[in-house]
Amino acid sequence: MRIISWNVNGIRAVEKRGFFEWLKKENPDIMCLNETKAEPGQLSPVFISPQSNKAGTSYFSHWASAKKRGYSGVAIYTKIQPNDVRFLGIPEFDDEGRVLIADYNDFTLIAAYFPNSQDERKRLPYKLAFNNAMLKLCKSIVKKGRHFILCGDYNVAHTPIDIARPKQNENSAGYLPEERAWMTSFLDAGFIDTFRHFHPDEPSHYTWWSYMGQAREKNVGWRIDYHCVNKEFLPKVKSSIIRPEVKGSDHCPVEIEVNL
């Protein structure tokens, strides 16, 4: 099973750049989108039931949209209809369309768009509250004897190897000590950053680049998009990769393959 996650920075914008042709060609089993900036009522049928590469078949879709139009939002395209799909159940986060939780037979998939802490730490308390809610959710899933895959834009570069210019960004949103410490505590809870598991010491792997200063061409980026799993599920994970060659957003897709 292939699961791709991508912060598309506006699903209507990325559609104009060939997203649905790319999706059909890639043919993942599950596609998770961050920062859709849309709600289903604003979208045409191609967004709701995109075609898979098997003739006459379409993806199912599920949406979490922000109350504020054109902001945030996550979606899941899936070939297999989940047993259950729900929001996080915390209004301050659900109102921004930040989480979808989908239960499959073998695991629970969490598609999440973590908040940006913003300049001058303006939203750091909100972000840390969200982070802690996600940690609590993941612990509760494992406590029930189930596995999880938490994918999406975490809006944090965890360690210096995950960012091109760590020294210059020590006080930047997404690399603040508090954010990085939370990520450490999340992994210390028995959870695995799958990309780092397979590529432990490899530098220069990033998932987001500023639109300024030819950052992407120069590969001056940040690795802030992840697939994390509980350690008991790790033997099922065959690979975890970054897809920097895929354009269309300031982020690139990240992909995991699991053997069920």
Side-chain angles (χ1 to χ4, degrees), residues 229-255:
V229 302
N230 57 302
K231 64 185 177 185
E232 296 84 2
F233 193 64
L234 187 60
K236 301 286 187 186
V237 181
K238 289 179 66 180
S239 65
S240 181
I241 62 172
I242 294 171
R243 302 285 304 278
E245 78 283 3
V246 180
K247 306 297 199 299
S249 167
D250 50 352
H251 293 249
C252 74
V254 293
E255 179 179 330

Side-chain angles (χ1 to χ4, degrees), residues 42-60:
Q42 298 173 296
L43 302 172
S44 64
V46 69
F47 291 88
I48 307 303
S49 301
Q51 292 292 304
S52 75
N53 74 347
K54 186 178 177 184
T57 63
S58 304
Y59 284 94
F60 301 101

Side-chain angles (χ1 to χ4, degrees), residues 1 10 19 23 36 39 41 47 49 64-65 67 83 90 93 97 100 138 141 178 180 201 211 213 219 236 246 250:
M1 179 180 278
F19 170 72
L23 178 66
T36 53
E39 56 187 50
F47 291 88
S49 301
S65 304
K67 282 189 172 180
N83 300 322
I90 302 174
F93 306 130
L100 278 174
C138 292
I141 291 168
E178 298 94 328
R180 297 169 60 205
D201 302 308
Y211 283 129
N219 200 29
K236 301 286 187 186
V246 180
D250 50 352

Side-chain angles (χ1 to χ4, degrees), residues 40-237:
Q42 298 173 296
L43 302 172
S44 64
V46 69
F47 291 88
I48 307 303
S49 301
Q51 292 292 304
S52 75
N53 74 347
K54 186 178 177 184
T57 63
S58 304
Y59 284 94
F60 301 101
S61 70
H62 300 275
W63 301 78
S65 304
K67 282 189 172 180
K68 179 181 173 183
R69 287 210 157 188
Y71 178 72
S72 189
V74 297
I76 297 173
Y77 292 131
T78 177
K79 290 182 177 181
I80 308 154
Q81 188 67 287
N83 300 322
D84 182 58
V85 182
R86 59 195 180 277
F87 302 137
L88 185 58
I90 302 174
E92 65 178 312
F93 306 130
D94 290 338
D95 286 352
E96 293 195 359
R98 293 201 171 271
V99 182
L100 278 174
I101 305 162
D103 289 327
Y104 293 88
N105 288 343
D106 296 294
F107 61 89
T108 293
L109 177 72
I110 309 161
Y113 176 39
F114 285 62
N116 188 309
S117 57
Q118 296 188 354
D119 292 341
E120 299 176 354
R121 293 174 156 82
K122 267 188 277 188
R123 292 202 97 194
L124 183 59
Y126 178 84
K127 175 167 188 187
L128 293 176
F130 179 89
N131 289 3
N132 290 329
M134 295 308 297
L135 177 58
K136 185 177 179 182
L137 171 65
C138 292
K139 284 181 173 179
S140 72
I141 291 168
V142 173
K143 193 173 182 180
K144 291 173 187 169
R146 286 185 54 79
H147 304 300
F148 74 82
I149 301 171
L150 171 59
C151 66
D153 176 1
Y154 287 36
N155 258 315
V156 62
H158 182 213
T159 67
I161 200 174
D162 300 311
I163 183 170
R165 294 177 176 167
K167 280 287 178 197
Q168 295 96 315
N169 285 288
E170 285 179 349
N171 291 305
S172 297
Y175 197 63
L176 298 174
E178 298 94 328
E179 296 172 287
R180 297 169 60 205
W182 178 85
M183 190 70 190
T184 297
S185 70
F186 178 79
L187 299 176
D188 286 348
F191 306 144
I192 307 296
D193 172 353
T194 59
F195 181 81
R196 274 289 163 242
H197 172 76
F198 289 102
H199 310 272
D201 302 308
E202 294 179 21
S204 305
H205 291 291
Y206 308 124
T207 65
W208 176 83
W209 303 262
S210 169
Y211 283 129
M212 308 291 285
Q214 294 185 303
R216 190 158 189 167
E217 291 76 6
K218 297 173 183 175
N219 200 29
V220 179
W222 302 46
R223 189 175 74 95
I224 59 176
D225 301 83
Y226 300 78
H227 283 95
C228 289
V229 302
N230 57 302
K231 64 185 177 185
E232 296 84 2
F233 193 64
L234 187 60
K236 301 286 187 186
V237 181

